[in-house]
Amino acid sequence: MSRALPMSVAWLRAVPLWAVAGAGGLLTVVVRLIGWGQGPDVFGDEVFYWRFGHSVAHGGFPRDHGGTFWLHPPGFFYIEGGWERLFGAPADVVSGVYQMRSLNAVLAGLTAVALVLLMVRVTKSTTVAVAVATVFAFDPYILRINQRVLIETSTMLWVVLGFLVLLPLAQRATGIRWRRRAAAAGLLFGVGILTKDVAALITVVPLIVAARFVWPKRRSVPLFTAAMATVPYAIYVGVVAWAGHFDDLWGNKTHGIRRLLGMAQETGFNSAKTPSLNQRLTEELSNFGSTYALLALAVVAVVPFLRRGSPPQRLLGLWYVSAAIALAYAVVKGTLEEQQLYLLIVPTIVIVAMRAHLLWERRVERRRRGPVSRVATVSLLALTLAWSGFTYAGATSEPDDGYERLRQYMVEHVPAGSAITSMSGSASLLLEDRYRMGKWFTPQERAREHVAYVVVPWRIVEHNISTFTPGEARQLTQQGALLFSFHGRTYGTVELYRVPVPPASPVDGRDG
């Protein structure tokens, strides 16, 4: 390891591994909590996931106003419930979302700790582990997912822990204790699946393939691990069936499979209601340029590990390939949502770091190639961190909490129970505990409901994600007076208008 370390970071050899891992985890948490409460702005899924966690704080299945929730398994929601029991129930929906964002920051920190330990085990290099932890802490896409109340952060934690526990068996699967380690790894994978079903594609699937390419003479190791990964979910299904909800679970899961396969395009970039993937990638290039570069490099970096890598390298390579194939299918035909990339970007930085370490070792062994590999490796890390740091600085320099500020303004100036026309589902979710929210547009509808206020997040409207067209939004807001305005990165300009209530007599116009 000492040969692979440049002199400037050789001091890392003297630092205990637990301190390096702890520092990586602490850095990850701190980065996610800087500017906490000022963005990113809240969006609809966060409210739903907070509600599900809030509902199980005192037991029972996850539920919402619409009834019990079965689309996703409940693992993350029970973690949320425990977090709420630990720190107390929030005062309102925004406080609840921020409370669970702090939970995800901690889960991300634990993921960074696991990544440090994983990289040291597979590369024997503390320097590589520190680099991976730093990239994980600052990567703009990873930050976006970790800073929101999304399931994927907790899912990836269990997956990384599973590979960390399993990796020694890829090096040597002998002895009477291998079953204990394999069982522990399988149960960790199983908890990941219990937070998000699709995690089976990046745990169970690579394990089955590994029976041929990693453990050809000890196939019982990956197959036993894969079998143990099904145990937590099987227990969950058994409890649901015992409680009499199996039919509801089955109906939701079959519908979820149809969505995963693309047979039902209700959400995501492949649905007709959202901007195209190409448009979104172009818009986010300035933010996620370093992430895109890592994704492109991993496609090439994984090849040598699959062809002639050590068993641990091949196992991690199969993890990456499984995630890449799953995402590629989602891009072409399935339901593709932004947060799904998180299941690929984490194994991506692992693969790229492993390849960089391999190039650095060759620099030591083959002096003539030293300048090229050294400059390429250091330049890649420097460019990635510089881009990520620049994006992070820009994101934290200006607040992006328009919906929270809107709610505070309305609590002070808009009477509770007022009827409000909302052009965004997220805005409705944040305000419906205090106001009557709807999509009332025509004079008849607004007269019937006595609508005097309109909330408009202009980016949602202009991107045709709202049920209102830009022309309809302008037509309605031109009738009123602007009360509140805020410009942020997430929703553009968020505005509140007071509009005159039409007379009760019916007039011609669109109804419904």
Side-chain angles (χ1 to χ4, degrees), residues 119-137:
M119 295 310 301
V120 169
R121 183 173 289 279
V122 74
T123 66
K124 305 297 187 294
S125 171
T126 308
T127 305
V128 174
V130 170
V132 167
T134 307
V135 172
F136 180 83

Side-chain angles (χ1 to χ4, degrees), residues 298 301-302 305 313 316-317 320 346-356:
V302 75
F305 300 128
Q313 291 172 338
L316 296 179
Y320 165 81
V346 175
T348 289
I349 62 177
V350 169
I351 293 298
V352 171
M354 287 167 52
R355 181 59 174 162

